[in-house]
Amino acid sequence: MTHESFDVVIVGAAVVGSAAAHFLTAAGGRRVLLLERDPSYSTCATGRSLASIRHQFSVAENIRMSRFGTEFLRRPEALAVDGEVPAIGLREDGYLFLTSAAGREQLARNHALQRAEGADIAWLEPDALADRFPWLATHDLAAGTLGLRGEGWIDAHALMHGLRRKAVAQGAVLRHAEVARLVREGGRVVAVELADGSRIGCGWVVNAAGTGATALARSAGIALPVQSRKRCVFHFRSPAVLPRCPLVIEPSGLYFRPEGAGFLAGLAPPEHDDPECFDFDVPANLFEDTIWPRLAARVPGFEAVRLVSSWAGHYDVNLLDHNVILGPHPEVPNLLFANGFSGHGVQQAPAVGRALAEWVGHGRYTSLDLGAFGWARVLEGRPLRELNVV
Ligand SMILES: Cc1cc2nc3c(=O)[nH]c(=O)nc-3n(C[C@H](O)[C@H](O)[C@H](O)COP(=O)(O)OP(=O)(O)OC[C@H]3O[C@@H](n4cnc5c(N)ncnc54)[C@H](O)[C@@H]3O)c2cc1C
C-alpha cells in the first residue's frame, strides 16, 4: 500500500543523486526524496574514485559537461550551509595525455575539438615535454596534450556530502532504505517499493543507483546496458621529486597523479579480461608485476617506490559507448536515468544534476543540450563513442 508520495524520488544518494537533489531543490516547488541503502557510502564508486576532472574528451558534450563541472567546483561557497563551506579543494594541476606515433593523429583531432570548445589545452612536442617535465622519459613519445587550466582533482567525498547537505538544507528528505523495485503501471512508474515491502508514490523517479541501476531498471522492464567493472587504485610513495606533476596518462593507459606526500596510480585491464564484477579484491601482484614496471619505465625516479595501500571500486560501464545514458526512457517517460558514466561521473555530476532538474522543471534541457546522451541512441544502436576512457 502507498502511504506517502513525493514529486521526485531519487534512488541513490552518492554524487549523482545528491547533485540532482541539489539542483531540484534549488529550483524549488517540488518535494524531493533521496533514498540511499548504504549510509556509510563506503563502496559506492564516488567514494572510491580518483576524483579527477578533465576537459580532454573526444565528444563535445563531455567537454561541455566538464567545463561546467569546473566552474561549479571553483565555487564551493555555493554549497555552504550555516556558513560552512565544503572542503572540495579543487587543484587545477591539469591532465597530461601522452601518445606514441600510433596515436598522434587521434590526439591532434581531440585537441582541435577541445580547443574549439574553449578548453585551455596545450599541444606539446617531445622536446617541449622534456623541457617542462625533466623527470619524464620521452624517448618513445610523439606528443602530449596538457590542460593549463580547469583540469585537476578534488575531494569527491566533500563534493558528495556537500551536495547532499545543501539539498537537505533546501528541503530534500534523505532516508536510508533500499529500493527493492520500481512499481510500473503501463507507461509510468507509480511507486518505489522498499526492501521492507512499503511503497512510496512518485511523480518522477531518478535512477542514480550507480552499478545498482541495471537491476532497478530491470524491475521496471527496461534493459539498461550497464555493467559493473572493477578498477584498482594504488597509493605509493617515492623519493622521486616531480615538480609540476599533473595527472599523467601514458600511451599504455597507465595513469598516475600526486596525492598528498605520495602518488596514486592505476591501469584499466585489457578489454578481453574485464568481466562483470562485484567484488572488491585487488589482484595479488598487480602492482609489482604490471603497474610498477610501467611507472618506472615512464619516470625513472619511480624505480624506488613503496606501496602504501590499494583499493578496488566499480565503474558503471555503458557497454554501448562508454557515455552516460541520461534522461527519460521513451516507454516510461517519468523514469529518468543517469547511469553508465564509465569512469567520469564525479566530474559530470554537477552538469547531470542540473540537466535532470531542468528536465523535471521544463521537459527539456535549458542550459546545456545533453539530448545526445538520451535513450534514442541506445535503442537505435547508434553509439556516441568516447575515445578518451581512462
Ligand atoms: C577507481 C575509480 C576511479 C574513478 N575515477 C574517477 C575520476 O577521476 N573522475 C571522475 O569523474 N569519475 C571517476 N570515477 C567514476 C565515478 O566515481 C562514478 O562515475 C561516479 O561516482 C558515479 O556516481 P553515482 O552517484 O552515479 O554512483 P555511485 O557513487 O556508485 O552511487 C550509487 C549509490 O546508489 C546506491 N544504491 C544502489 N542501488 C540502490 C537501491 N536499490 N536502493 C537504494 N540505494 C541504492 C548505492 O548504495 C550508492 O551509494 C571513478 C570510479 C572508480 C571506481
Side-chain angles (χ1 to χ4, degrees), residues 10-18 35-54 57 66 95 152-153 156 160 164 175-181 193-194 207-213 215-216 229-233 247 255 257 311-316 338-349 390:
I10 301 170
V11 186
V15 75
V16 171
S18 296
L35 289 170
E36 170 55 52
R37 68 181 174 194
D38 175 15
S40 75
Y41 299 94
S42 59
T43 59
C44 64
T46 304
R48 289 172 178 249
S49 92
L50 210 72
S52 306
I53 176 162
R54 59 183 158 111
F57 286 96
S66 281
Y95 268 63
W153 48 91
M160 165 173 67
R164 193 182 320 108
R175 215 167 280 169
H176 291 129
E178 177 164 20
V179 176
R181 69 181 187 104
E193 187 171 295
L194 305 185
N207 184 348
T211 54
L216 204 63
R229 300 286 171 92
K230 183 155 62 180
R231 295 293 180 269
C232 299
V233 181
L247 193 159
Y255 67 78
R257 71 157 171 83
W311 69 86
H314 298 128
Y315 276 15
D316 55 336
N339 312 112
F341 287 96
S342 309
H344 33 273
V346 167
Q347 61 198 282
Q348 294 189 335
V390 178

Side-chain angles (χ1 to χ4, degrees), residues 7-369:
D7 297 315
V8 187
V9 174
I10 301 170
V11 186
V15 75
V16 171
S18 296
H22 164 58
F23 281 98
L24 279 160
T25 50
R30 285 190 172 74
R31 295 185 66 234
V32 175
L33 174 66
L34 258 175
L35 289 170
E36 170 55 52
R37 68 181 174 194
D38 175 15
S40 75
Y41 299 94
S42 59
T43 59
C44 64
T46 304
R48 289 172 178 249
S49 92
L50 210 72
S52 306
I53 176 162
R54 59 183 158 111
H55 299 170
Q56 297 188 59
F57 286 96
S58 68
V59 169
E61 285 84 353
N62 280 333
I63 302 170
R64 293 173 198 158
M65 277 205 271
S66 281
R67 291 197 66 207
F68 173 69
T70 300
E71 273 174 46
F72 187 86
L73 298 171
R74 281 176 177 158
R75 293 184 299 106
E77 58 281 359
L79 294 180
V81 175
D82 298 333
E84 234 181 82
V85 178
I88 291 170
L90 173 64
R91 288 189 58 142
E92 297 192 33
D93 290 354
Y95 268 63
L96 175 63
F97 276 81
L98 300 172
T99 189
S100 60
R104 188 180 157 104
E105 258 181 49
Q106 184 59 52
L107 192 72
R109 274 196 294 276
N110 294 350
H111 181 243
L113 175 72
Q114 292 150 8
R115 298 283 301 171
E117 287 292 328
D120 197 356
I121 313 293
W123 177 269
L124 300 177
E125 294 290 344
D127 286 356
L129 284 169
D131 278 353
R132 196 171 180 116
F133 304 113
W135 39 265
L136 192 71
T138 55
H139 59 281
D140 57 340
L141 297 177
T145 48
L146 174 69
L148 300 177
R149 274 181 313 133
E151 296 188 322
W153 48 91
I154 60 166
D155 181 329
H157 286 269
L159 174 63
M160 165 173 67
H161 293 304
L163 284 163
R164 193 182 320 108
R165 189 157 182 254
K166 187 69 178 178
V168 169
Q170 289 167 168
V173 174
L174 170 66
R175 215 167 280 169
H176 291 129
E178 177 164 20
V179 176
R181 69 181 187 104
L182 303 176
V183 182
R184 177 174 166 183
E185 284 179 9
R188 285 186 66 75
V189 174
V190 294
V192 298
E193 187 171 295
L194 305 185
D196 66 5
S198 63
R199 290 186 177 185
I200 299 170
C202 53
W204 298 84
V205 176
V206 174
N207 184 348
T211 54
T214 310
L216 204 63
R218 197 181 307 121
S219 74
I222 290 170
L224 180 69
V226 169
Q227 277 188 5
S228 174
R229 300 286 171 92
K230 183 155 62 180
R231 295 293 180 269
C232 299
V233 181
F234 299 89
H235 181 204
F236 65 96
R237 297 226 170 153
S238 169
V241 179
L242 275 50
R244 298 203 286 174
C245 183
L247 193 159
V248 179
I249 297 164
E250 67 121 40
S252 70
L254 173 87
Y255 67 78
F256 61 89
R257 71 157 171 83
E259 174 73 10
F263 298 88
L264 298 177
L267 174 69
E271 246 174 81
H272 65 268
D273 189 19
D274 191 17
E276 185 169 33
C277 176
F278 292 95
D279 72 68
F280 292 94
D281 303 332
V282 176
N285 300 330
L286 177 58
F287 186 78
E288 288 78 3
D289 293 349
T290 307
I291 307 281
W292 177 46
R294 293 182 195 213
L295 283 169
R298 186 54 62 204
V299 179
F302 283 160
E303 272 298 334
V305 297
R306 182 171 60 82
L307 185 60
V308 178
S309 62
S310 58
W311 69 86
H314 298 128
Y315 276 15
D316 55 336
V317 171
N318 173 356
L319 301 174
L320 177 73
D321 59 13
H322 295 274
N323 274 317
V324 66
I325 298 172
L326 182 65
H329 191 283
E331 282 173 20
V332 195
N334 74 328
L335 172 55
L336 303 179
F337 289 78
N339 312 112
F341 287 96
S342 309
H344 33 273
V346 167
Q347 61 198 282
Q348 294 189 335
V352 161
R354 183 179 66 170
L356 291 167
E358 289 172 357
W359 194 272
V360 168
H362 308 281
R364 62 191 172 86
Y365 302 123
T366 55
S367 48
L368 261 188
D369 182 1

